[in-house]
PDB file of all heavy atoms in Angstrom:
ATOM      1  N   VAL P 191     169.553 293.693 241.234  1.00  0.00           N
ATOM      2  CA  VAL P 191     168.297 294.375 240.902  1.00  0.00           C
ATOM      3  C   VAL P 191     167.351 293.423 240.200  1.00  0.00           C
ATOM      4  O   VAL P 191     166.136 293.386 240.482  1.00  0.00           O
ATOM      5  CB  VAL P 191     168.572 295.611 240.022  1.00  0.00           C
ATOM      6  CG1 VAL P 191     167.262 296.222 239.525  1.00  0.00           C
ATOM      7  CG2 VAL P 191     169.373 296.648 240.798  1.00  0.00           C
ATOM      8  N   SER P 192     167.881 292.622 239.282  1.00  0.00           N
ATOM      9  CA  SER P 192     167.049 291.658 238.538  1.00  0.00           C
ATOM     10  C   SER P 192     166.454 290.610 239.449  1.00  0.00           C
ATOM     11  O   SER P 192     165.255 290.275 239.353  1.00  0.00           O
ATOM     12  CB  SER P 192     167.878 290.990 237.426  1.00  0.00           C
ATOM     13  OG  SER P 192     168.386 291.942 236.529  1.00  0.00           O
ATOM     14  N   ILE P 193     167.271 290.082 240.365  1.00  0.00           N
ATOM     15  CA  ILE P 193     166.774 289.083 241.312  1.00  0.00           C
ATOM     16  C   ILE P 193     165.748 289.691 242.239  1.00  0.00           C
ATOM     17  O   ILE P 193     164.714 289.066 242.576  1.00  0.00           O
ATOM     18  CB  ILE P 193     167.957 288.471 242.096  1.00  0.00           C
ATOM     19  CG1 ILE P 193     168.859 287.675 241.160  1.00  0.00           C
ATOM     20  CG2 ILE P 193     167.439 287.587 243.233  1.00  0.00           C
ATOM     21  CD1 ILE P 193     170.107 287.134 241.821  1.00  0.00           C
ATOM     22  N   GLY P 194     165.981 290.920 242.682  1.00  0.00           N
ATOM     23  CA  GLY P 194     165.014 291.591 243.551  1.00  0.00           C
ATOM     24  C   GLY P 194     163.695 291.834 242.842  1.00  0.00           C
ATOM     25  O   GLY P 194     162.619 291.625 243.426  1.00  0.00           O
ATOM     26  N   LEU P 195     163.753 292.264 241.572  1.00  0.00           N
ATOM     27  CA  LEU P 195     162.539 292.491 240.803  1.00  0.00           C
ATOM     28  C   LEU P 195     161.779 291.189 240.586  1.00  0.00           C
ATOM     29  O   LEU P 195     160.544 291.143 240.700  1.00  0.00           O
ATOM     30  CB  LEU P 195     162.910 293.102 239.452  1.00  0.00           C
ATOM     31  CG  LEU P 195     161.743 293.359 238.468  1.00  0.00           C
ATOM     32  CD1 LEU P 195     160.770 294.370 239.073  1.00  0.00           C
ATOM     33  CD2 LEU P 195     162.281 293.848 237.138  1.00  0.00           C
ATOM     34  N   THR P 196     162.513 290.129 240.309  1.00  0.00           N
ATOM     35  CA  THR P 196     161.898 288.810 240.121  1.00  0.00           C
ATOM     36  C   THR P 196     161.184 288.352 241.394  1.00  0.00           C
ATOM     37  O   THR P 196     160.065 287.841 241.353  1.00  0.00           O
ATOM     38  CB  THR P 196     162.948 287.774 239.704  1.00  0.00           C
ATOM     39  OG1 THR P 196     163.593 288.191 238.499  1.00  0.00           O
ATOM     40  CG2 THR P 196     162.317 286.401 239.504  1.00  0.00           C
ATOM     41  N   THR P 197     161.825 288.557 242.532  1.00  0.00           N
ATOM     42  CA  THR P 197     161.238 288.165 243.814  1.00  0.00           C
ATOM     43  C   THR P 197     159.952 288.924 244.097  1.00  0.00           C
ATOM     44  O   THR P 197     158.947 288.342 244.534  1.00  0.00           O
ATOM     45  CB  THR P 197     162.242 288.396 244.939  1.00  0.00           C
ATOM     46  OG1 THR P 197     163.469 287.688 244.667  1.00  0.00           O
ATOM     47  CG2 THR P 197     161.680 287.934 246.269  1.00  0.00           C
ATOM     48  N   VAL P 198     159.961 290.223 243.838  1.00  0.00           N
ATOM     49  CA  VAL P 198     158.772 291.041 244.090  1.00  0.00           C
ATOM     50  C   VAL P 198     157.620 290.609 243.196  1.00  0.00           C
ATOM     51  O   VAL P 198     156.477 290.462 243.650  1.00  0.00           O
ATOM     52  CB  VAL P 198     159.084 292.536 243.887  1.00  0.00           C
ATOM     53  CG1 VAL P 198     157.818 293.376 243.936  1.00  0.00           C
ATOM     54  CG2 VAL P 198     160.083 293.025 244.935  1.00  0.00           C
ATOM     55  N   CYS P 199     157.905 290.386 241.913  1.00  0.00           N
ATOM     56  CA  CYS P 199     156.862 289.976 240.966  1.00  0.00           C
ATOM     57  C   CYS P 199     156.260 288.627 241.363  1.00  0.00           C
ATOM     58  O   CYS P 199     155.037 288.441 241.266  1.00  0.00           O
ATOM     59  CB  CYS P 199     157.435 289.896 239.546  1.00  0.00           C
ATOM     60  SG  CYS P 199     157.911 291.492 238.844  1.00  0.00           S
ATOM     61  N   CYS P 200     157.096 287.714 241.803  1.00  0.00           N
ATOM     62  CA  CYS P 200     156.615 286.399 242.242  1.00  0.00           C
ATOM     63  C   CYS P 200     155.797 286.503 243.526  1.00  0.00           C
ATOM     64  O   CYS P 200     154.808 285.794 243.697  1.00  0.00           O
ATOM     65  CB  CYS P 200     157.775 285.436 242.457  1.00  0.00           C
ATOM     66  SG  CYS P 200     158.713 285.058 240.976  1.00  0.00           S
ATOM     67  N   LEU P 201     156.216 287.398 244.402  1.00  0.00           N
ATOM     68  CA  LEU P 201     155.526 287.563 245.694  1.00  0.00           C
ATOM     69  C   LEU P 201     154.085 288.044 245.494  1.00  0.00           C
ATOM     70  O   LEU P 201     153.186 287.604 246.205  1.00  0.00           O
ATOM     71  CB  LEU P 201     156.305 288.521 246.575  1.00  0.00           C
ATOM     72  CG  LEU P 201     155.754 288.738 247.997  1.00  0.00           C
ATOM     73  CD1 LEU P 201     155.740 287.431 248.768  1.00  0.00           C
ATOM     74  CD2 LEU P 201     156.585 289.780 248.738  1.00  0.00           C
ATOM     75  N   VAL P 202     153.879 288.929 244.525  1.00  0.00           N
ATOM     76  CA  VAL P 202     152.529 289.430 244.256  1.00  0.00           C
ATOM     77  C   VAL P 202     151.612 288.269 243.827  1.00  0.00           C
ATOM     78  O   VAL P 202     150.493 288.131 244.344  1.00  0.00           O
ATOM     79  CB  VAL P 202     152.566 290.521 243.167  1.00  0.00           C
ATOM     80  CG1 VAL P 202     151.152 290.919 242.753  1.00  0.00           C
ATOM     81  CG2 VAL P 202     153.339 291.731 243.651  1.00  0.00           C
ATOM     82  N   GLU P 203     152.088 287.444 242.893  1.00  0.00           N
ATOM     83  CA  GLU P 203     151.283 286.305 242.447  1.00  0.00           C
ATOM     84  C   GLU P 203     151.065 285.295 243.571  1.00  0.00           C
ATOM     85  O   GLU P 203     149.985 284.708 243.679  1.00  0.00           O
ATOM     86  CB  GLU P 203     151.963 285.622 241.256  1.00  0.00           C
ATOM     87  CG  GLU P 203     151.192 284.461 240.657  1.00  0.00           C
ATOM     88  CD  GLU P 203     149.949 284.896 239.893  1.00  0.00           C
ATOM     89  OE1 GLU P 203     149.773 286.116 239.695  1.00  0.00           O
ATOM     90  OE2 GLU P 203     149.158 284.018 239.509  1.00  0.00           O
ATOM     91  N   PHE P 204     152.074 285.131 244.424  1.00  0.00           N
ATOM     92  CA  PHE P 204     151.967 284.209 245.543  1.00  0.00           C
ATOM     93  C   PHE P 204     150.850 284.663 246.501  1.00  0.00           C
ATOM     94  O   PHE P 204     150.028 283.846 246.953  1.00  0.00           O
ATOM     95  CB  PHE P 204     153.289 284.133 246.290  1.00  0.00           C
ATOM     96  CG  PHE P 204     153.255 283.276 247.531  1.00  0.00           C
ATOM     97  CD1 PHE P 204     153.262 281.895 247.440  1.00  0.00           C
ATOM     98  CD2 PHE P 204     153.200 283.859 248.785  1.00  0.00           C
ATOM     99  CE1 PHE P 204     153.219 281.101 248.576  1.00  0.00           C
ATOM    100  CE2 PHE P 204     153.155 283.086 249.929  1.00  0.00           C
ATOM    101  CZ  PHE P 204     153.169 281.699 249.825  1.00  0.00           C
ATOM    102  N   LEU P 205     150.792 285.942 246.788  1.00  0.00           N
ATOM    103  CA  LEU P 205     149.748 286.478 247.676  1.00  0.00           C
ATOM    104  C   LEU P 205     148.364 286.318 247.063  1.00  0.00           C
ATOM    105  O   LEU P 205     147.393 285.986 247.760  1.00  0.00           O
ATOM    106  CB  LEU P 205     150.022 287.961 247.983  1.00  0.00           C
ATOM    107  CG  LEU P 205     151.279 288.246 248.814  1.00  0.00           C
ATOM    108  CD1 LEU P 205     151.477 289.748 248.949  1.00  0.00           C
ATOM    109  CD2 LEU P 205     151.182 287.584 250.190  1.00  0.00           C
ATOM    110  N   ILE P 206     148.253 286.517 245.741  1.00  0.00           N
ATOM    111  CA  ILE P 206     146.964 286.342 245.065  1.00  0.00           C
ATOM    112  C   ILE P 206     146.498 284.893 245.167  1.00  0.00           C
ATOM    113  O   ILE P 206     145.346 284.606 245.505  1.00  0.00           O
ATOM    114  CB  ILE P 206     147.068 286.776 243.585  1.00  0.00           C
ATOM    115  CG1 ILE P 206     147.319 288.273 243.483  1.00  0.00           C
ATOM    116  CG2 ILE P 206     145.787 286.395 242.827  1.00  0.00           C
ATOM    117  CD1 ILE P 206     147.563 288.762 242.064  1.00  0.00           C
ATOM    118  N   CYS P 207     147.401 283.960 244.899  1.00  0.00           N
ATOM    119  CA  CYS P 207     147.038 282.538 244.905  1.00  0.00           C
ATOM    120  C   CYS P 207     146.709 282.029 246.303  1.00  0.00           C
ATOM    121  O   CYS P 207     145.789 281.234 246.479  1.00  0.00           O
ATOM    122  CB  CYS P 207     148.176 281.709 244.280  1.00  0.00           C
ATOM    123  SG  CYS P 207     148.420 281.984 242.513  1.00  0.00           S
ATOM    124  N   VAL P 208     147.478 282.481 247.302  1.00  0.00           N
ATOM    125  CA  VAL P 208     147.198 282.057 248.668  1.00  0.00           C
ATOM    126  C   VAL P 208     145.844 282.581 249.146  1.00  0.00           C
ATOM    127  O   VAL P 208     145.050 281.845 249.757  1.00  0.00           O
ATOM    128  CB  VAL P 208     148.331 282.538 249.613  1.00  0.00           C
ATOM    129  CG1 VAL P 208     147.927 282.353 251.078  1.00  0.00           C
ATOM    130  CG2 VAL P 208     149.609 281.790 249.341  1.00  0.00           C
ATOM    131  N   THR P 209     145.568 283.849 248.861  1.00  0.00           N
ATOM    132  CA  THR P 209     144.262 284.418 249.217  1.00  0.00           C
ATOM    133  C   THR P 209     143.132 283.682 248.519  1.00  0.00           C
ATOM    134  O   THR P 209     142.076 283.421 249.099  1.00  0.00           O
ATOM    135  CB  THR P 209     144.220 285.915 248.843  1.00  0.00           C
ATOM    136  OG1 THR P 209     145.334 286.591 249.448  1.00  0.00           O
ATOM    137  CG2 THR P 209     142.923 286.552 249.321  1.00  0.00           C
ATOM    138  N   TRP P 210     143.373 283.339 247.257  1.00  0.00           N
ATOM    139  CA  TRP P 210     142.377 282.606 246.461  1.00  0.00           C
ATOM    140  C   TRP P 210     142.043 281.254 247.079  1.00  0.00           C
ATOM    141  O   TRP P 210     140.885 280.892 247.274  1.00  0.00           O
ATOM    142  CB  TRP P 210     142.902 282.481 245.052  1.00  0.00           C
ATOM    143  CG  TRP P 210     142.038 281.719 244.092  1.00  0.00           C
ATOM    144  CD1 TRP P 210     140.729 281.398 244.235  1.00  0.00           C
ATOM    145  CD2 TRP P 210     142.438 281.189 242.833  1.00  0.00           C
ATOM    146  NE1 TRP P 210     140.276 280.693 243.155  1.00  0.00           N
ATOM    147  CE2 TRP P 210     141.308 280.561 242.279  1.00  0.00           C
ATOM    148  CE3 TRP P 210     143.637 281.193 242.125  1.00  0.00           C
ATOM    149  CZ2 TRP P 210     141.358 279.917 241.034  1.00  0.00           C
ATOM    150  CZ3 TRP P 210     143.682 280.568 240.895  1.00  0.00           C
ATOM    151  CH2 TRP P 210     142.545 279.943 240.352  1.00  0.00           C
ATOM    152  N   THR P 211     143.091 280.477 247.383  1.00  0.00           N
ATOM    153  CA  THR P 211     142.881 279.113 247.903  1.00  0.00           C
ATOM    154  C   THR P 211     142.291 279.126 249.320  1.00  0.00           C
ATOM    155  O   THR P 211     141.596 278.187 249.702  1.00  0.00           O
ATOM    156  CB  THR P 211     144.203 278.340 247.909  1.00  0.00           C
ATOM    157  OG1 THR P 211     145.201 279.107 248.616  1.00  0.00           O
ATOM    158  CG2 THR P 211     144.688 278.093 246.494  1.00  0.00           C
ATOM    159  N   ILE P 212     142.561 280.171 250.108  1.00  0.00           N
ATOM    160  CA  ILE P 212     142.024 280.236 251.469  1.00  0.00           C
ATOM    161  C   ILE P 212     140.571 280.712 251.480  1.00  0.00           C
ATOM    162  O   ILE P 212     139.710 280.128 252.163  1.00  0.00           O
ATOM    163  CB  ILE P 212     142.902 281.159 252.350  1.00  0.00           C
ATOM    164  CG1 ILE P 212     144.290 280.532 252.574  1.00  0.00           C
ATOM    165  CG2 ILE P 212     142.222 281.408 253.697  1.00  0.00           C
ATOM    166  CD1 ILE P 212     145.228 281.420 253.340  1.00  0.00           C
ATOM    167  N   CYS P 213     140.284 281.764 250.728  1.00  0.00           N
ATOM    168  CA  CYS P 213     138.956 282.374 250.772  1.00  0.00           C
ATOM    169  C   CYS P 213     137.924 281.589 249.960  1.00  0.00           C
ATOM    170  O   CYS P 213     136.831 281.282 250.457  1.00  0.00           O
ATOM    171  CB  CYS P 213     139.031 283.812 250.271  1.00  0.00           C
ATOM    172  SG  CYS P 213     140.041 284.889 251.302  1.00  0.00           S
ATOM    173  N   THR P 214     138.257 281.277 248.705  1.00  0.00           N
ATOM    174  CA  THR P 214     137.295 280.583 247.825  1.00  0.00           C
ATOM    175  C   THR P 214     137.986 279.460 247.069  1.00  0.00           C
ATOM    176  O   THR P 214     138.264 279.577 245.871  1.00  0.00           O
ATOM    177  CB  THR P 214     136.658 281.571 246.823  1.00  0.00           C
ATOM    178  OG1 THR P 214     137.720 282.220 246.084  1.00  0.00           O
ATOM    179  CG2 THR P 214     135.805 282.588 247.506  1.00  0.00           C
ATOM    180  N   PRO P 215     138.313 278.365 247.754  1.00  0.00           N
ATOM    181  CA  PRO P 215     139.025 277.265 247.073  1.00  0.00           C
ATOM    182  C   PRO P 215     138.124 276.582 246.029  1.00  0.00           C
ATOM    183  O   PRO P 215     136.923 276.467 246.216  1.00  0.00           O
ATOM    184  CB  PRO P 215     139.356 276.302 248.224  1.00  0.00           C
ATOM    185  CG  PRO P 215     138.317 276.591 249.265  1.00  0.00           C
ATOM    186  CD  PRO P 215     138.026 278.057 249.164  1.00  0.00           C
ATOM    187  N   PRO P 216     138.721 276.123 244.942  1.00  0.00           N
ATOM    188  CA  PRO P 216     137.950 275.373 243.928  1.00  0.00           C
ATOM    189  C   PRO P 216     137.407 274.063 244.519  1.00  0.00           C
ATOM    190  O   PRO P 216     137.977 273.507 245.470  1.00  0.00           O
ATOM    191  CB  PRO P 216     138.984 275.094 242.827  1.00  0.00           C
ATOM    192  CG  PRO P 216     140.050 276.120 243.024  1.00  0.00           C
ATOM    193  CD  PRO P 216     140.102 276.359 244.502  1.00  0.00           C
ATOM    194  N   ILE P 217     136.319 273.581 243.964  1.00  0.00           N
ATOM    195  CA  ILE P 217     135.670 272.351 244.452  1.00  0.00           C
ATOM    196  C   ILE P 217     135.425 271.395 243.286  1.00  0.00           C
ATOM    197  O   ILE P 217     135.443 271.781 242.125  1.00  0.00           O
ATOM    198  CB  ILE P 217     134.332 272.670 245.148  1.00  0.00           C
ATOM    199  CG1 ILE P 217     133.375 273.372 244.165  1.00  0.00           C
ATOM    200  CG2 ILE P 217     134.561 273.514 246.387  1.00  0.00           C
ATOM    201  CD1 ILE P 217     131.984 273.601 244.728  1.00  0.00           C
ATOM    202  N   VAL P 218     135.187 270.135 243.642  1.00  0.00           N
ATOM    203  CA  VAL P 218     134.843 269.125 242.644  1.00  0.00           C
ATOM    204  C   VAL P 218     133.347 269.209 242.356  1.00  0.00           C
ATOM    205  O   VAL P 218     132.537 269.280 243.287  1.00  0.00           O
ATOM    206  CB  VAL P 218     135.203 267.702 243.154  1.00  0.00           C
ATOM    207  CG1 VAL P 218     134.864 266.665 242.091  1.00  0.00           C
ATOM    208  CG2 VAL P 218     136.669 267.635 243.513  1.00  0.00           C
ATOM    209  N   GLU P 219     132.995 269.193 241.084  1.00  0.00           N
ATOM    210  CA  GLU P 219     131.598 269.358 240.684  1.00  0.00           C
ATOM    211  C   GLU P 219     131.203 268.287 239.662  1.00  0.00           C
ATOM    212  O   GLU P 219     132.011 267.949 238.774  1.00  0.00           O
ATOM    213  CB  GLU P 219     131.373 270.728 240.089  1.00  0.00           C
ATOM    214  CG  GLU P 219     129.925 270.982 239.659  1.00  0.00           C
ATOM    215  CD  GLU P 219     129.810 272.140 238.680  1.00  0.00           C
ATOM    216  OE1 GLU P 219     130.653 272.247 237.780  1.00  0.00           O
ATOM    217  OE2 GLU P 219     128.841 272.907 238.824  1.00  0.00           O
TER     218      GLU P 219
END
Side-chain angles (χ1 to χ4, degrees):
V191 173
S192 300
I193 294 175
L195 178 63
T196 301
T197 304
V198 172
C199 292
C200 296
L201 183 61
V202 173
E203 182 72 8
F204 176 76
L205 293 176
I206 294 174
C207 292
V208 169
T209 306
W210 178 17
T211 54
I212 292 176
C213 296
T214 55
I217 59 174
V218 181
E219 180 199 42

